[in-house]
Amino acid sequence: SDVAMLRMRQFVEDASATSHPIKPDHYIEINNFYTATVYEKGAEVIRMLQTLLGRDGFKKGMDLYFETFDGQAVTTEAFIWAMSEANGFDLSQFERWYFQSGTPLLKVEKDYQSEHKRFTVTLKQQHKGSEPLFFPQRIALFDHSGKEIKSRLLEAGIHLKEDVFIISEPEHTLTFEGVESEPVLSINRGFSAPVKVEMQQSNEELAFIMAHDSDDFNRYEASQEFAMIVMKKCYGALINQEQMQVPAAFIDAFGALLKDHRISKALKAKMLEIPAIDLLMQELDNIAIKDLYRVRNYLLNTIATELESLIWNEYDAIEDSSYSVEAAAMGQRALKNRLLELIAPTQSERVYTEALKRYHEATNMTDRFAMLRLFSNVAQHRESVTDSFYKQFHTNTLVMNKYLSVMASSELEGTLETVIALQDDPVYDNIVPNLVRALIGSFARNHLYFHAEDGSGYRFIAEKIIAIDLFNPQIASGLAGAFKNYERMNQAQQLLMRESLEHILSVEGLSKNVYEIVSKILHKDEA
């Protein structure tokens, strides 16, 4: 979940005109830097230290940090010093993570020499900075039975410990000897570094990792990568006016995952999740947003149709139990709700009967909210379910935040009109930041209608930015970040976005907060 959020928000930021390092060296308005880069990427950089130093080493560094600096105003340099000093580990190159912007790309090349029983892995790092970064990479090799290969590494200078290697140069080559057959490579295990990995993998390799990798994150990662490859190929077919196709290998792998009872229900629920539109947008340029939704919905429809009976079998096998916050119970709820979400595209009467029952008999907000989200995209039952939810919880502001977010995120026609009407609802207050984020912010992330072909989504958000800027510039500048995908959109959408962005900049008395974000998106201010 942390990685998915990082990719949907921080990677987008890193790839946009508002890209900045974790420690910006200049700014117009410091309040603009409550960002995913400063917080989420910053947290991933700290987690890399634990991977490098180990849990015990990290604790030693924390102990020295508090002993030395307790009660003082300190800097990241002081934190890095404590980690380095306590462990005798040189982190001077590692500090570059704080001062270089952009998401690094790790290009991976593989070569197996059967005659020598030798497998080489070449790792090349690419990023905006002129100097190479320093980061850990957890790597493992598997044979085709799913067993991890214990091989001998030549020139082991960058091998830190166990499966952890240090990447510190523009290019490294790892050579493994004694590899009896061509292995399957598992890289960036546990998301050991916040980088993008570019590596040629066959459908068979991805299916293998989904089924056999001993690293849970990489099993999830393979499922996401496989789905992303399928969607990108479908998008290409759509653009070329060809027939979209979902390869049988993907359906087979997805089906095998459904039947795999060796893994936890919580992990399976995450692995069965299809990548969000936000992630697909990062892989493409000249985007036609409706086509992206067509592609994703085509994949979901294919899964539901091809695996309908299997999904129902797995759904029926999960017995509802009394509410508990134990991990196993949470995983059970997550998987049952995911399975119902997966089967929903069939639009069968059983889907709606089961979902309505699950909604009305829910003993917890997790199940009730999951069904609210499902019905927010079902015209037939939407009104009755959303009205029921509203009547029961309209006095609870925290729950109404969730309700407003779901209503603003719907893919049904008329969503903009719904959002406009909800601004006059008694549960909404334009001066309460969380309510604004829930309703207006969620609509700005609803790419289908924010990027509407007539520009209505852009104009609506632009007017809200202007109005909110008068009393809360921080919230207004946060909304302006919705335009960050400007350069990835097709020309028609860019023209419409530019009109709204220029309109915002033309407002007299515009705050520095909003001006900085909008001017950077339009490349009008390099400060």
Side-chain angles (χ1 to χ4, degrees), residues 232-244:
K232 286 194 289 186
K233 286 184 177 178
C234 285
Y235 184 76
L238 194 61
I239 295 300
N240 294 321
Q241 298 183 322
E242 298 170 356
Q243 178 65 42
M244 290 188 289

Side-chain angles (χ1 to χ4, degrees), residues 58 60 95 132 175 196 210 237 280 318 377 389 425 463 516 521:
F58 188 83
K60 283 167 59 180
E95 283 191 77
T175 303
K196 289 183 178 180
M210 286 171 65
L280 190 53
I318 304 173
N377 290 310
F389 192 93
D425 193 286
E463 292 300 337
E516 181 171 27
I521 291 171

Side-chain angles (χ1 to χ4, degrees), residues 28 505 510-520 525:
I28 295 175
L505 285 183
L510 192 69
S511 71
K512 291 189 295 182
N513 306 63
V514 173
Y515 173 81
E516 181 171 27
I517 300 298
V518 175
S519 60
K520 281 183 175 178
D525 190 285

Side-chain angles (χ1 to χ4, degrees), residues 247-452:
F250 179 82
I251 297 298
D252 291 344
F254 207 85
L257 175 57
L258 280 165
K259 293 182 288 187
D260 189 344
H261 299 137
R262 298 169 299 169
I263 59 176
S264 75
K265 291 181 173 62
L267 175 60
K268 186 185 286 191
K270 293 303 295 182
M271 289 179 70
L272 293 172
E273 189 174 37
I274 300 302
I277 291 292
D278 305 70
L279 299 179
L280 190 53
M281 290 176 75
Q282 293 180 43
E283 302 293 319
L284 301 165
D285 292 304
N286 196 30
I287 294 169
I289 203 69
K290 277 190 175 181
D291 287 341
L292 292 193
Y293 278 83
R294 285 178 63 190
V295 163
R296 188 172 188 273
N297 288 334
Y298 175 75
L299 177 56
L300 289 168
N301 285 325
T302 304
I303 291 169
T305 303
E306 295 286 331
L307 300 172
E308 182 175 7
S309 61
L310 180 55
I311 294 172
W312 278 125
N313 288 342
E314 294 301 315
Y315 179 87
D316 291 336
I318 304 173
E319 294 183 7
D320 285 315
S321 56
S322 57
Y323 177 73
S324 165
V325 292
E326 295 296 319
M330 292 169 68
Q332 180 172 295
R333 287 192 294 276
L335 181 55
K336 195 150 191 177
N337 290 333
R338 173 75 67 225
L339 291 169
L340 203 53
E341 181 184 279
L342 282 173
I343 203 69
T346 63
Q347 300 182 31
S348 69
E349 194 55 42
R350 186 187 174 189
V351 168
Y352 299 143
T353 299
E354 192 67 39
L356 283 169
K357 178 185 176 186
R358 195 159 179 78
Y359 172 82
H360 289 295
E361 295 180 2
T363 60
N364 57 85
M365 184 57 71
T366 299
D367 289 341
R368 194 180 299 277
F369 183 67
M371 296 305 100
L372 173 72
R373 190 170 58 236
L374 187 152
F375 281 115
S376 72
N377 290 310
V378 179
Q380 184 180 350
H381 298 284
R382 170 180 153 136
E383 188 173 350
S384 65
V385 173
T386 55
D387 285 354
S388 167
F389 192 93
Y390 181 94
K391 287 174 183 175
Q392 185 169 355
F393 299 108
H394 69 276
T395 59
N396 188 319
T397 300
L398 291 178
V399 179
M400 282 297 98
N401 279 329
K402 298 172 78 70
Y403 168 83
L404 292 171
S405 176
V406 165
M407 299 300 283
S409 302
S410 173
E411 292 181 26
L412 293 181
E413 289 185 13
T415 294
L416 175 56
E417 290 71 20
T418 297
V419 170
I420 291 171
L422 282 169
Q423 292 178 104
D424 296 324
D425 193 286
V427 304
Y428 182 74
D429 189 337
N430 202 43
I431 65 170
V432 178
N434 281 345
L435 289 171
V436 175
R437 292 188 186 101
L439 183 64
I440 311 301
S442 294
F443 178 80
R445 291 190 296 275
N446 183 340
H447 301 294
L448 185 61
Y449 293 112
F450 174 66
H451 294 289

